[in-house]
Amino acid sequence: MNVRIESSWKEKLAPEFKKEYFIRLTDFVRQEYKTNIIYPPAGLIFNSFELCPFDSVRAVIIGQDPYHGAGQAHGLCFSVRDGVDYPPSLINIFREIESDMGYKPFPSGNLARWASQGVLLLNATLTVRAHNPGSHQRKGWEEFTDSVINALNKERENIAFFLWGAYAQKKGSSIDRTKHLVLESVHPSPLSASRGFFGNKHFSRCNEYLLKYGLKQIDWR
């Protein structure tokens, strides 16, 4: 199966594209785009990989679903297109960065500027039906994105993994903490951010870790 994804990821994930679950997933997603409004636009499903090749990854932020409102999702978790209002979780992420790093103001909710520095902004599920959160869960995306995490875990070293909330923590439970930095807290959602997301200092801790291993730090502005 010819999957249109960045070349280094295409090589690393090639075995997945031949598996039965991925073939079923592809059939399902194609049909969904034909019959429903699906986000992100089809050409941006693998945007996080396009902007962040395998050997460039220095940090991974794990989300759950793409945003399901019009004009928001563009293939990067927690990110929205330029000019789109910041969703509540992203507001809280920026609030924590300001507290932790002193950065303000933030130019846009488009986090492609992070991806281009080696931050893989990975949703567990890469597509969603409009206004129907969770609608593409348990169709095969989770298995695919598990393979992404496993490849990074096994073949790379000294990556900072951000696991916010129980869902992300479960998804990242197999990460080798002797090889990588695992940063865990509650989710930045307004429902939980005040119970441990604020003050977690994950962004400065990530940069301190990268510096320790002689890696370029990330500009979180």
Side-chain angles (χ1 to χ4, degrees), residues 6-45:
E6 192 275 333
S7 58
S8 65
W9 285 106
K10 190 169 188 175
E11 178 182 351
K12 294 295 180 184
L13 301 173
E16 299 302 309
F17 303 142
K18 301 174 185 177
K19 292 180 179 178
E20 185 63 31
Y21 88 85
F22 194 85
I23 295 170
R24 291 196 306 270
L25 170 64
T26 301
D27 291 342
F28 167 77
V29 170
R30 284 175 177 162
Q31 186 62 28
E32 282 287 280
Y33 274 95
K34 289 178 182 178
T35 56
N36 294 284
I37 299 173
I38 305 299
Y39 300 126
L44 296 176
I45 292 173

Side-chain angles (χ1 to χ4, degrees), residues 52 56-61 114-121 218 220:
C52 191
S56 299
V57 178
R58 287 183 284 148
V60 180
I61 298 178
W114 295 359
S116 65
Q117 298 179 72
V119 182
L120 182 66
L121 296 161
I218 295 160
W220 293 107

Side-chain angles (χ1 to χ4, degrees), residues 58-59 61 93-94 97-98 100-108 110-119 121 162 202-204 206-208 210-211 215-221:
R58 287 183 284 148
I61 298 178
I93 289 169
F94 285 160
I97 293 172
E98 181 184 356
D100 185 15
M101 309 289 291
Y103 296 154
K104 189 182 180 180
F106 297 93
S108 169
N110 187 336
L111 304 182
R113 61 188 184 272
W114 295 359
S116 65
Q117 298 179 72
V119 182
L121 296 161
F162 293 69
H202 282 181
F203 303 96
S204 61
C206 169
N207 276 357
E208 289 165 3
L210 295 173
L211 183 63
L215 301 171
K216 187 176 180 181
Q217 296 177 307
I218 295 160
D219 184 348
W220 293 107
R221 283 172 283 193

